[in-house]
Each structure stands twice: as structure tokens, then as C-alpha cells.
Amino acid sequence: MPKMNKVVMFYFFFSFFIATGSLLCSASGDVRKVYIVYMGSLSSQPEYSPTSHHLSMLQEALDDSGFDQDSVLIASYKRSFNGFAANLTNTEAQKLASMEGVVSVFPSRTLHLQTTRSWDFMGLDESAATQTPPGAASDVIIGVLDSGIWPESESFRDEGFGPPPKKWKGICSGGVGFKCNNKIIGARGYKSSGPNVRDTKGHGTHTASTAAGNRVKDISFYGLAKGTARGGLPSARVAAYKVCNHGCESSDVLLGFDDAIADGVDIITISLGGQGATNLVSDEIAIGSFHAMEKGILTVHSAGNTGPFSGTVTSVAPWLLSVAASSTDRQIIDKVVLGNGKTIIGSSVNTFTFNGRKFPLIRGADASTVCSEDSARMCEADCLNSTLVKGKIVLCERTGGVSASRDNGAVGTILLSRTPDNIPFIRSAPATSLTPNDYNLVQSYTAYTKNPTAEILSSDVIKDSAAPAVASFSSRGPNTVMPDIMKPDISAPGVDILAAFSPVAAPTSDPKDNRRVKYSISSGTSMACPHVAGAAAYIKAFHPDWSPSVIKSALMTTAWPMNASKNPDGEFAYGAGHMNPKKAIHPGLVYDAYREDYIKLLCSAGYGEQEISKLTRDNNISCPSGSEKKSRTTDFNYPSMTVKVEPRTAFQVGFHRTVTNVGPSGSTYKAKIMSNPRLRVKVEPRVLSFDSSNKKKSFRVTIAGRGLRDKTMVTASLVWSDGIHSVRSPIIAYA
Ligand SMILES: *[C@@H]1O[C@H](CO)[C@@H](O)[C@H](O)[C@H]1NC(C)=O
Ligand SMILES: *[C@@H]1O[C@H](CO)[C@@H](O)[C@H](O)[C@H]1NC(C)=O
Ligand SMILES: *[C@@H]1O[C@H](CO)[C@@H](O)[C@H](O)[C@H]1NC(C)=O
Ligand SMILES: *[C@@H]1O[C@H](CO)[C@@H](O)[C@H](O)[C@H]1NC(C)=O
């Protein structure tokens, strides 16, 4: 073997390294992906053309890459705010970020519908829903940003509806075979979601009918949860913006906002989101809803389904109404009867029946000849031996066991629940889910009995006296982006909700689920969100001139207090509490906030003047600084008072607030504090007298406490009461 000089060898390695390195570098630089270039509010100059501006910026950024600007432009936002989406390299994106007028450049991402696909139905009682002022109620338009809609559903028939309200500027562009009517007055589809707005997922139909569906009698899911299905405001109109198909591209989500705002909707409901909370200037939903707020449109948004872990809420912008999901008193259960006669109450939405027959039981751990015991207990794919499980009921420790057992010839599955609330989900084959105690009991019975057998019954409905409790999947606060703004804001039904569905979609995500239904049950903050959107529309029907923040305040301050002993995360699980729409029509006092207040809040939260100026296209923004008294985020006029404090450090914090009397003149409100021994709360003044309607009064709340242990919270509440109205705000200090 020829001797090789060490120096030469080193050189070889070195040059190899360099070559590979630069190759990788330029390769990754060349990869194009979709970026959103956000440019804030639209210029009001009449000669300004957003699209030509976007194209000239692109031309400059593309330089001599060989691509032309038309081929990389994905979307132009030009109706309600300014910006575009384009297929760019990292270098081009950076170039654009430094151009004048650009607020932020961030990669488009795929957001997801926040359903867990399985749920019940609740809202206003029927008489209340029909007592809305005539005319006004059918003028309310709800924009639904979702997976489209099934236009022929009974929930969207237009009998009794007149032509669309005059303010409506939208179009019906639903694609081939899609017809709007006087109930569904608008439809738009987008690039990645496809031009046909017809819903093939079921999610968009479900959320739209929860917010605004007609009253439809005798609806059930295979006889379960039977009753009348209806939305929060059945007389409202619906405009469907199909921004999701398999996922929801954020470049399309922004187009949905751009259109919905310009089309003239009153309320936007959006049940989708990302995996983590982000800075507000690169958060598509925060950006879209900011411009909606500027135009007087409230955006209602699902909190997320990544609970029960702390700080998981992804709906964080202060102008959003962010909704947690809770249970209703209608609980769906599913019993198992063992061969020894013992009945165990499990949880699932199970439409299948064994007709009184019992089948042999086998544990997943005993049903595999190829896998480790751990994998076999989970009934992981390819573990179950079909000779062993055929015709039996299999015990599996994970949800995927349902299809794995069915695919191997089993007749049913008994699952181990991994969440304390054991939410009943729809299963694609006979199955129930048991608490760890009950599961162990069935395991022991199976292991120590000769010929163990069981029957899985089809589901029943019982009354749940513990409701409402926040679902384990519902994302929790605190707000990781704006720590002094409470999130979620409110809780609404989000477990086992029955609503209209797409008749071409299966009620579960199992591709072998051949069931097709017009009404289905789903669970998720996705389902809670349109309940609140429906309630907001209901309030809008009574008070067409109320601003988004006033409607939000009305809903939050009249919410039912929820029980922290059942919801260990307290306000970080349920916000102000469980929504109570009937009361929210007459809240007495409201905490309002407008564009300028949000801008001040952004200043105090540390967003730069330039960033804010661009967001708002207001060159005049100057955040108070230095000698001027800097406002604090705790002084922002939110309907709750939240502060993040240093752990193990005594604290004293003030909250400045202003309330507006929307009740009768001549009312006098007294402050009541529901306190906590660990928090001293002072309100000044303690009495507010209003000699007329629409008068404003300010007050100050000061809280003080000894140091809090890290990751703990202490809460109280303030209630302003005039003997008729109770205006309640949670007070939260956390470390
Ligand atoms: C972006 O461009 C690349 C080629 O450079 C292409 O493969 C990709 O499909 C484009 N993406 C979109 C969304 O147009
Ligand atoms: C399945 O189990 C049966 C009975 O124990 C056995 O004969 C057969 O080999 C197993 N099949 C596989 C693929 O392991
Ligand atoms: C909260 O729940 C606990 C335990 O279930 C109960 O003792 C308490 O009375 C409840 N509190 C309220 C305000 O309902
Ligand atoms: C800038 O702000 C000042 C004071 O608030 C106001 O008088 C002026 O009209 C504003 N200018 C513009 C261009 O908005």
C-alpha cells in the first residue's frame, strides 16, 4: 500500500469538508418554500395598488434568480390589510424583510383543525333564541374560516330568510355544483384548500351549524343525544371561507381574513391553530383578527387541544376571544358486562351492538407472538396475531388498538384511558375506554378466570352532575406571549357536541369507518369556539353597534364562575368561566378597548414603535418613554386582571380600569371582592354612580401578596353589583 503523506491526507479531509459544507449551504439556500410577507394596514392613498407593489418588491428580491415574480406569488392580501405570500428562498425572504413597509416575514405553516372528532350540543334555550329583535337577528353574518360547508344540509336551508343584508359585499364562489342560498350567503375557496367550498371533512359544517345552524328537530347520532340541533343564532347568515382541507395553510388563512373583513361579516369564528404560540407580528390569526377588530369585527378563536399542560394556549392576542372546551351535563357512557355478571361503566360513543351476546376476552399482552410484551399490551400495529384475537374482545392500552383489533378479526376492544376525564370519543369499531382502576379489574378477571367473556353494550346518555368541567385536551394558560393578558378568556361546551356534518366524511378518521351521517358528534375546542361565536352573534342582534371588545366584555363578565376544585388549573383552564349568553345581553357595565388602546398595550409589552407603526400603518405611533409615565400592561382595560410576578418575592400591583354603563341611567354599583387569604385586594373607589347611560367611570384595583412559589397562582374576583347586574372579573397573580 502506498504511503500517504499525513499532510496530504489532512488536506483531503479538509477540502472534502469545505466542499460538502458549501454544497449543503447553497442547497438549503435554494430550497423554495412559502413565506408570508406581512405589510400591515393598507395605505389609504387612492393611487396605491397593492398587487403592483407586491410584484415590484418580488422582482427586486428575485433579482437574477431566473424566476419571475408572477410564478412565485402565491397570494396577495389587498382588501383588508397589506401583504403577500410567495415561494421564496431564505435569502430572498431576508431581502424582503429589510424592505421598506414590511412588518414581518415568516414561513407559512400548516395549521390544524382543533377537533378531536367526537362530541353533544348546548346553547341558549329555544325560547330565548327566538326572542331576538325582528330584522336585526337575520342581519348578523358569521364568517366561518374552516374546511368549507355542506350547502344542502338541513341546518342551512333558507326558508323564511329574506335576501342577504344590504351591507353584504361578498360573493358565492363555491365551485362546481355549490349553490348558496339566503342562509349561506357567501363561499370562497383558496389555493391549497381547493376552489370547491363543499366540505368533505365535516369539521366546517359542524362548526358553522353550531354557530348559526337552523333549528332541526329529532336529530341524533344513531339514536344517541337525540334532540333539536340548532346554532347559537339560528337566524344568522353564514359565509364560508374554506381555508383548510388536509391542513390549513396559513397563507390561505390570511386570505380568508382579508376577504371576510372586506365582505362585511359581523363575527368571525375560527377553530384552527398551530402547535405553539408565537410573537403577534408573525401569528397569522393575530394579524388577521387585528384588522378585523379595526373594522369592528370580533374574532372568536379556539384555545387549542394541547392541554392539560400549562402554557399551551395558542390563541394569545388580546383582541381575540379565546375559547376553552368544557363538558355538558349530557354525558355519553358505554358499559361493559363481564361473564361474571359485573357491569362496568366505560366511556365511548359506541353505536355498535352485540345484541346480548358475550365474546371471549384476551389481553393484548397475550395476543402477540412477535412483539415485546410492552408493544403487545399497546396492541401496536402488526403485533396482534389474528388467530389468537379472532372473534374476541381485546384489551389494549392505547387508542390505536381499536382499528388494530378490528383489522385482525377481533369483535371489540377495551381501552385504557390515559386522561383523568376519560372523554367519550366516537370509535370506528365496538369499543369502550376504562379508567385505570376498572381496566385493571377487567385485566385480572381476564387473567384469572377460565373462559373470560364480556359484552360491550352500545352507548347510553346519563346526566353528568359534575358538568361543566374543562376537558383535559383543552389548552391551558398562562399566556406565554403576553403574560399579563389572561388566556383562555371563556369556556363553552366542547365535549360530545352533536351538529351537522358532511355526508361524505366518516365520523372518525379511521379510513375503514364506512359510516356516513348528516349529523355527528365531535369534541374539541373547535366545537366550543362556534358556541361562543353564536352567542356573540346573538348579542350583536340586540346591540348592532357594540364593538368587539364590548361584546367580549359582556360575555366574560357574565360567565358562570366555574369550580376550581374540579379544574385544578382554575382560570388558566376556563378563563372568566362558562359562557351565559342570555345574561350577556344585559351586562350592566363593560370594559371596552379600541385600536389605540391595543397599540398602547403593544408599546408597554415591548413591541417596537417601528413594528407597531407598520402593523397599523400609522406613522405617528410614539410609545411613551423615559420621563413620560410609561403605561403598564396591567393597566390595559381587559375584563380580567392578571399579573405575572417574580417567584418568592412579595408583590404589590395596581390595575387601572374604566367601565362604561350600558345599563339604565341612575345606577349605582358597589364593589364586592371574593378574596383569597393569600391575596389582599383593594378597590378605589368602592362605589360607582352613573347618572346616565354610556357614562364612563374609572377605578383602581391594588393587589398585594407574599411571594408565590414558582409555577403557582392565586386568584380572587371583583364583582361590581347594582343589585340587578353582576359584573365579574377574575383577578390572577401567578409566578
Ligand atoms: C416552490 O418552488 C419549488 C421549486 O423551486 C417547487 O418545487 C414547489 O412546488 C413550489 N411550491 C409552491 C407552493 O408553489
Ligand atoms: C399465531 O398464533 C398461532 C397459535 O399460537 C401460531 O400457530 C401462529 O404461528 C401465530 N402466527 C404468527 C404469524 O406468529
Ligand atoms: C366546588 O366543588 C367542591 C367539590 O366538588 C364542592 O365542595 C364546592 O361546594 C364547590 N364549590 C362551588 C362554588 O360550587
Ligand atoms: C399625528 O399625531 C398628532 C397628535 O396626536 C396629530 O395632531 C396629527 O394629526 C397626527 N398626524 C397624522 C399624519 O396622523
Side-chain angles (χ1 to χ4, degrees):
M1 191 173 147
K3 268 193 197 162
M4 198 186 251
N5 184 312
K6 265 189 186 158
V7 176
V8 172
M9 210 166 116
F10 177 75
Y11 176 72
F12 272 154
F13 273 111
F14 191 62
S15 62
F16 176 74
F17 176 71
I18 297 273
T20 332
S22 61
L23 205 81
L24 282 176
C25 247
S26 69
S28 71
D30 273 338
V31 171
R32 284 179 184 277
K33 59 180 180 177
V34 179
Y35 285 87
I36 290 166
V37 179
Y38 172 54
M39 301 165 64
S41 297
L42 276 170
S43 164
S44 50
Q45 289 168 329
E47 71 277 15
Y48 179 74
S49 156
T51 309
S52 51
H53 188 200
H54 302 160
L55 288 171
S56 72
M57 288 167 71
L58 271 174
Q59 185 177 25
E60 195 182 327
L62 289 165
D63 214 359
D64 47 17
S65 66
F67 283 83
D68 71 77
Q69 56 273 33
D70 286 303
S71 70
V72 298
L73 184 67
I74 303 276
S76 256
Y77 313 115
K78 57 193 177 194
R79 302 185 68 202
S80 306
F81 47 91
N82 199 356
F84 56 92
N87 197 4
L88 304 168
T89 63
N90 184 28
T91 319
E92 289 159 1
Q94 279 172 20
K95 239 191 236 175
L96 280 160
S98 64
M99 285 185 194
E100 201 189 320
V102 175
V103 179
S104 52
V105 177
F106 51 95
S108 177
R109 43 179 189 156
T110 307
L111 306 175
H112 295 279
L113 297 166
Q114 288 172 326
T115 180
T116 47
R117 279 217 179 205
S118 295
W119 85 306
D120 176 45
F121 201 73
M122 168 197 142
L124 302 159
D125 61 61
E126 282 206 64
S127 64
T130 53
Q131 280 162 9
T132 45
S138 63
D139 282 350
V140 181
I141 306 166
I142 304 182
V144 183
L145 273 59
D146 210 297
S147 65
I149 197 163
W150 193 265
E152 292 85 11
S153 169
E154 256 196 282
S155 291
F156 308 121
R157 279 157 90 160
D158 70 348
E159 274 128 57
F161 283 85
K166 290 215 170 59
K167 65 186 173 187
W168 177 242
K169 296 193 280 288
I171 55 166
C172 182
S173 173
V176 178
F178 187 107
K179 281 205 187 72
C180 290
N181 58 18
N182 286 328
K183 172 79 186 180
I184 302 177
I185 58 172
R188 292 181 190 265
Y190 300 102
K191 212 164 212 156
S192 48
S193 57
N196 202 309
V197 181
R198 187 172 290 280
D199 175 20
T200 57
K201 303 272 149 200
H203 190 276
T205 304
H206 204 279
T207 56
S209 68
T210 299
N214 297 331
R215 243 168 258 108
V216 186
K217 282 199 187 124
D218 291 328
I219 294 304
S220 72
F221 182 69
Y222 292 93
L224 274 174
K226 201 176 177 97
T228 299
R230 77 201 141 79
L233 185 64
S235 54
R237 321 287 183 126
V238 174
Y241 299 87
K242 187 177 183 178
V243 297
C244 305
N245 195 17
H246 299 296
C248 323
E249 284 311 311
S250 56
S251 52
D252 279 355
V253 170
L254 269 176
L255 274 177
F257 272 107
D258 195 33
D259 281 329
I261 296 166
D263 287 348
V265 306
D266 295 296
I267 305 285
I268 290 174
T269 183
I270 177 163
S271 288
L272 55 97
Q275 286 301 311
T278 63
N279 179 310
L280 298 182
V281 293
S282 51
D283 174 339
E284 316 75 10
I285 295 170
I287 290 169
S289 58
F290 179 86
H291 296 289
M293 175 276 294
E294 284 186 310
K295 296 276 158 58
I297 304 162
L298 175 65
T299 303
V300 186
H301 185 209
S302 46
N305 291 347
T306 45
F309 311 104
S310 171
T312 47
V313 60
T314 51
S315 177
V316 292
W319 43 83
L320 286 169
L321 179 49
S322 310
V323 187
S326 51
S327 57
T328 70
D329 62 355
R330 183 154 70 181
Q331 188 186 0
I332 298 180
I333 57 158
D334 192 32
K335 294 175 190 160
V336 185
V337 183
L338 301 181
N340 62 12
K342 194 168 170 54
T343 299
I344 294 163
I345 295 182
S347 175
S348 98
V349 179
N350 176 23
T351 62
F352 305 97
T353 174
F354 287 172
N355 287 317
R357 279 186 68 192
K358 290 197 171 58
F359 293 92
L361 279 165
I362 184 168
R363 300 185 305 176
D366 301 328
S368 180
T369 32
V370 290
C371 290
S372 71
E373 193 186 320
D374 274 351
S375 303
R377 279 192 290 128
M378 304 287 164
C379 303
E380 281 176 12
D382 303 327
C383 283
L384 297 178
N385 176 322
S386 48
T387 314
L388 297 176
V389 303
K390 195 169 185 330
K392 294 181 187 160
I393 296 169
V394 189
L395 272 72
C396 297
E397 294 186 12
R398 104 198 141 95
T399 306
V402 176
S403 51
S405 302
R406 189 253 342 259
D407 292 348
N408 283 291
V411 294
T413 315
I414 293 174
L415 297 168
L416 168 65
S417 168
R418 296 190 172 272
T419 58
D421 52 358
N422 196 5
I423 302 268
F425 293 115
I426 301 188
R427 304 296 179 190
S428 56
T432 189
S433 174
L434 304 183
T435 62
N437 272 347
D438 288 339
Y439 187 85
N440 287 339
L441 197 149
V442 178
Q443 281 224 88
S444 308
Y445 166 76
T446 306
Y448 300 116
T449 310
K450 205 173 170 194
N451 303 325
T453 60
E455 176 185 5
I456 302 174
L457 306 188
S458 49
S459 289
D460 291 323
V461 171
I462 61 165
K463 195 168 167 68
D464 177 11
S465 54
V470 177
S472 51
F473 59 71
S474 187
S475 293
R476 298 324 202 242
N479 186 334
T480 53
V481 172
M482 282 210 159
D484 294 344
I485 298 296
M486 178 182 77
K487 290 289 169 179
D489 293 306
I490 200 164
S491 181
V495 176
D496 286 338
I497 304 301
L498 178 67
F501 207 65
S502 167
V504 300
T508 64
S509 52
D510 186 336
K512 289 188 185 154
D513 187 348
N514 294 322
R515 293 172 294 180
R516 296 294 180 265
V517 289
K518 291 180 175 167
Y519 287 82
S520 190
I521 287 174
S522 290
S523 297
T525 52
S526 271
M527 282 69 230
C529 173
H531 276 100
V532 176
Y538 178 67
I539 295 169
K540 190 87 182 170
F542 283 88
H543 306 288
D545 57 334
W546 277 11
S547 72
S549 64
V550 169
I551 296 175
K552 172 172 168 171
S553 173
L555 281 162
M556 287 173 69
T557 61
T558 57
W560 293 108
M562 287 175 74
N563 194 330
S565 69
K566 277 182 246 156
N567 298 280
D569 306 297
E571 281 73 6
F572 289 155
Y574 48 69
H578 197 266
M579 74 149 182
N580 184 5
K582 248 158 97 179
K583 267 206 151 169
I585 302 167
H586 304 294
L589 306 176
V590 292
Y591 296 80
D592 59 1
Y594 297 88
R595 186 174 177 274
E596 282 62 39
D597 305 302
Y598 290 112
I599 289 170
K600 258 198 231 157
L601 171 65
L602 291 171
C603 285
S604 42
Y607 285 79
E609 279 166 21
Q610 277 198 323
E611 230 169 359
I612 303 170
S613 312
K614 287 175 188 163
L615 174 72
T616 57
R617 184 84 3 181
D618 188 344
N619 293 325
N620 235 357
I621 303 274
S622 66
C623 289
S625 64
S627 55
E628 274 181 274
K629 197 171 168 289
K630 208 176 164 186
S631 73
R632 299 169 196 277
T633 50
T634 48
D635 287 335
F636 175 69
N637 207 34
Y638 214 63
S640 66
M641 292 137 209
T642 304
V643 65
K644 182 179 178 182
V645 298
E646 284 296 313
R648 299 170 194 283
T649 312
F651 60 90
Q652 178 169 344
V653 183
F655 300 90
H656 183 267
R657 290 291 185 273
T658 301
V659 282
T660 307
N661 179 25
V662 294
S665 58
S667 39
T668 298
Y669 284 84
K670 293 196 174 106
K672 277 194 289 189
I673 304 292
M674 310 293 163
S675 199
N676 183 310
R678 290 159 62 210
L679 203 60
R680 285 195 311 283
V681 182
K682 203 170 75 182
V683 185
E684 282 174 313
R686 295 188 63 93
V687 176
L688 301 175
S689 292
F690 296 89
D691 52 17
S692 73
S693 226
N694 289 314
K695 267 273 163 67
K696 288 182 186 292
K697 291 273 160 133
S698 295
F699 62 92
R700 190 173 178 77
V701 173
T702 310
I703 64 169
R706 298 213 184 135
L708 296 177
R709 268 185 297 133
D710 206 3
K711 300 196 170 66
T712 62
M713 70 194 292
V714 52
T715 67
S717 61
L718 163 66
V719 179
W720 286 107
S721 175
D722 67 347
I724 300 162
H725 307 96
S726 289
V727 189
R728 184 176 164 277
S729 292
I731 301 171
I732 306 164
Y734 71 102

